[in-house]
Amino acid sequence: MTTWEYTITPLPLHTPKDVLDTWGSEGWELVTVTPAPNGAGHVAYMKRPKQ
């Protein structure tokens, strides 16, 4: 059975693709994006198989 680890990271309005590309190159898969709690930008929820 696969076990997962998770991370949450802010997505800046000016460079969201760069942030997602960086996390993706480290094996993280995007699960969802939601508005940031403070209303400024968005937050990405990501997962990857636990090593």
Side-chain angles (χ1 to χ4, degrees):
M1 177 173 75
T2 303
T3 57
W4 301 94
E5 63 179 328
Y6 298 88
T7 191
I8 302 167
T9 186
L11 289 178
L13 294 174
H14 58 284
T15 59
K17 182 184 179 315
D18 294 340
V19 171
L20 293 174
D21 283 347
T22 299
W23 284 97
S25 70
E26 295 177 12
W28 293 94
E29 178 181 351
L30 180 64
V31 175
T32 192
V33 175
T34 62
N38 64 3
H42 291 84
V43 177
Y45 291 78
M46 308 178 90
K47 70 177 185 178
R48 70 179 173 189
K50 208 171 207 180
Q51 304 278 329

